């Protein structure tokens, strides 16, 4: 090879490296912890040169406050439940998805696409339930009543989540009342149930956060959690006896969506990433690693027998019939629920 040819090859190589560096972008995602596969993200970064950064929140109120602030401009993607996405998208500009801008969105079930609307990409669905340690329990936990009035072995080891909707909703379900009731008498019953639970609490904290902080020193043995949390709880704590159950009284079905706040945040890199994780081959890898129920119908057809038969992810038709989808409530009722939460005191 001539010296001239070598120079041309070096110049071309340098140009390609510099071009790649210039085109590479940061994709900032605001999400619950352990919702994405590290391996899948690493492969995407290697293939594209883009960098994916995950920032975690541990309460929906923190997420919603950020989403409605100027700080939302710092994030390309926010993971948010379908109900709050619908509410917040009326207050904050959101990117509107289409099959043209995101071709792989068609892999998601139409029911879940409708739940997220055109401002969200369905990502996960599931239930709210109870996590408990089998080595602690003298009898299996099967009811919300056991959560609010725990057996002696779980007392002072219970964790409850403070959430603007879910906290009151679960207390209502425990009393066989509609989870999104706006009746003040119903909400008083729910509040009394929550207050009666207080003496048994270890604290108001999400079990994922608690085990991430305390690890093997965690004393929690009973907690309100979301379907798919057990794998991370086990990893965080090293406690292999955590079990997830949807109580007999029923539960709530949730759908989590991926949304892009502001049109300018829908960069080519961001849309490329969302297209990538909606590919069925990639989506099934994510859910089988992280263990949540996917909204991606095409991915489900690729699922392993162990994944598809997991009772934590796919609940019985009988309990499904006693469960509810999220529904909007009035601002007045939302404020009342928030006041209820403010009156619940940590130990």
């Amino acid at each position: 090879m001539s010296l001239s040819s070598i120079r041309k090859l070096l110049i071309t190589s340098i140009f390609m490296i510099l071009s790649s560096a210039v085109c590479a972008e940061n994709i900032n995602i605001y999400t619950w912890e352990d919702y994405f596969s590290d391996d899948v993200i690493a492969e995407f970064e290697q293939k594209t040169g883009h960098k994916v950064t995950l920032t975690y929140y541990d309460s929906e109120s923190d997420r919603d406050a950020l989403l409605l602030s100027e700080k939302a401009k710092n994030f390309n993607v926010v993971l948010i439940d379908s109900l709050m996405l619908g509410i917040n998208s009326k207050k904050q500009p959101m990117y509107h998805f289409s099959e043209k801008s995101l071709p792989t969105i068609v892999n998601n079930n139409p029911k879940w696409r409708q739940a997220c609307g055109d401002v969200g990409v369905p990502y996960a669905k599931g239930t709210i339930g109870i996590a408990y340690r089998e080595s602690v329990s003298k009898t299996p936990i099967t009811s919300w009543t056991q959560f609010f009035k725990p057996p002696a072995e779980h007392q002072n080891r219970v964790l409850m989540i403070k959430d603007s909707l879910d906290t009151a909703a679960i207390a209502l379900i425990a009393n066989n009342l509609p989870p999104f009731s706006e009746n003040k008498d119903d909400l008083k019953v729910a509040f009394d149930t929550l207050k009666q639970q207080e003496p048994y609490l270890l604290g108001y904290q999400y079990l994922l956060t608690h085990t991430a902080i305390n690890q093997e020193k965690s004393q929690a043995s009973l907690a309100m959690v979301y379907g798919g949390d057990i794998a991370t709880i086990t990893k965080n704590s090293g406690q292999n006896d955590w079990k997830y159950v949807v109580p007999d009284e029923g539960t709530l079905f949730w759908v989590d969506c991926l949304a892009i706040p502001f049109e300018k945040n829908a960069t080519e890199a961001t849309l490329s990433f969302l297209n990538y994780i909606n590919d069925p081959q990639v989506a099934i890898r994510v859910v089988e690693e992280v263990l949540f129920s996917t909204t991606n119908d095409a991915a489900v057809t690729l699922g392993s027998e162990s994944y598809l038969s997991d009772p934590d992810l796919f609940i019985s038709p009988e309990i499904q019939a006693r469960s509810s989808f999220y529904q909007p409530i009035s601002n007045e009722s939302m404020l009342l629920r928030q006041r209820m939460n403010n009156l619940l005191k940590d130990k």
Side-chain angles (χ1 to χ4, degrees):
M1 183 181 290
S2 69
L3 185 60
S4 176
S5 297
I6 292 173
R7 284 199 186 103
K8 287 181 180 178
L9 181 60
L10 285 172
I11 291 169
T12 302
S13 299
I14 293 169
F15 176 77
M16 291 176 67
I17 292 169
L18 290 174
S19 296
S20 175
V22 170
C23 294
E25 296 180 23
N26 290 324
I27 305 167
N28 296 310
I29 301 177
Y30 198 41
T31 176
W32 292 112
E33 189 173 358
D34 284 323
Y35 241 64
F36 293 88
S37 161
D38 291 339
D39 289 342
V40 165
I41 287 177
E43 286 181 12
F44 173 80
E45 291 177 332
Q46 185 176 18
K47 288 179 179 179
T48 64
H50 303 309
K51 173 68 175 174
V52 177
T53 301
L54 303 179
T55 301
Y56 303 126
Y57 56 81
D58 63 4
S59 80
E60 294 186 345
S61 57
D62 288 347
R63 177 205 61 206
D64 294 342
L66 179 139
L67 190 59
L68 298 177
S69 72
E70 285 296 306
K71 292 181 180 179
K73 293 180 178 179
N74 297 325
F75 293 96
N76 300 91
V77 177
V78 175
L79 181 84
I80 181 171
D81 63 275
S82 59
L83 178 63
M84 293 311 297
L85 175 59
I87 293 171
N88 289 331
S89 65
K90 296 175 182 177
K91 304 174 183 177
Q92 179 78 286
M94 298 277 187
Y95 177 77
H96 289 248
F97 294 96
S98 68
E99 293 179 9
K100 182 178 179 181
S101 64
L102 199 70
T104 57
I105 199 173
V106 300
N107 294 319
N108 289 285
N109 186 291
K111 176 167 58 176
W112 310 125
R113 287 183 62 182
Q114 183 178 7
C116 293
D118 63 354
V119 292
V121 181
Y123 185 62
K125 61 182 175 66
T127 53
I128 297 176
I130 300 171
Y132 71 96
R133 293 193 63 187
E134 289 185 291
S135 65
V136 176
S137 287
K138 295 180 179 179
T139 58
I141 301 296
T142 60
S143 169
W144 286 115
T145 300
Q146 293 170 289
F147 178 62
F148 287 106
K149 295 181 179 178
E153 63 268 26
H154 289 292
Q155 291 177 9
N156 299 308
R157 303 182 68 174
V158 180
L159 288 178
M160 180 60 171
I161 296 174
K162 275 190 184 181
D163 177 82
S164 54
L165 279 175
D166 295 343
T167 305
I170 294 307
L172 287 164
I173 291 173
N175 288 282
N176 295 311
L177 294 169
F180 300 105
S181 173
E182 299 195 23
N183 182 287
K184 291 184 179 180
D185 290 335
D186 288 352
L187 289 170
K188 184 180 185 306
V189 170
F191 182 68
D192 289 343
T193 297
L194 291 164
K195 291 296 290 182
Q196 289 166 11
Q197 184 193 38
E198 282 188 338
Y200 310 120
L201 291 179
L202 179 62
Y204 289 103
Q205 193 175 36
Y206 187 20
L207 183 57
L208 276 184
T209 304
H210 175 82
T211 53
I213 295 170
N214 294 279
Q215 300 177 353
E216 72 279 357
K217 295 180 181 179
S218 168
Q219 294 299 307
S221 64
L222 190 69
M224 171 184 164
V225 297
Y226 299 94
D229 282 350
I230 293 297
T232 303
I233 291 163
T234 300
K235 181 179 72 174
N236 287 347
S237 65
Q239 299 162 342
N240 297 315
D241 60 331
W242 281 103
K243 182 176 176 60
Y244 177 77
V245 62
V246 175
D248 293 338
E249 299 94 333
T251 186
L252 301 176
F253 292 113
W254 50 262
V255 183
D256 278 342
C257 315
L258 298 170
I260 300 178
F262 304 104
E263 188 86 16
K264 73 176 185 64
N265 288 357
T267 63
E268 183 178 343
T270 300
L271 294 173
S272 174
F273 176 74
L274 293 178
N275 260 311
Y276 180 71
I277 61 171
N278 270 283
D279 178 273
Q281 297 281 355
V282 175
I284 194 61
R285 286 177 56 202
V286 173
V287 297
E288 293 210 351
E289 177 186 333
V290 183
L291 283 181
F292 60 76
S293 185
T294 181
T295 60
N296 192 314
D297 280 357
V300 171
T301 64
L302 305 174
S304 66
E305 182 179 348
S306 61
Y307 173 73
L308 297 175
S309 61
D310 190 333
D312 294 354
L313 304 178
F314 303 94
I315 65 174
S316 71
E318 294 77 19
I319 295 182
Q320 286 188 47
R322 295 193 288 273
S323 301
S324 307
F325 287 96
Y326 280 82
Q327 63 188 56
I329 60 175
S330 67
N331 289 336
E332 180 186 2
S333 187
M334 181 70 83
L335 288 172
L336 179 55
R337 289 165 184 251
Q338 290 171 352
R339 284 199 294 271
M340 287 167 55
N341 283 351
N342 292 337
L343 292 171
L344 300 174
K345 302 298 183 183
D346 280 312
K347 287 190 175 183

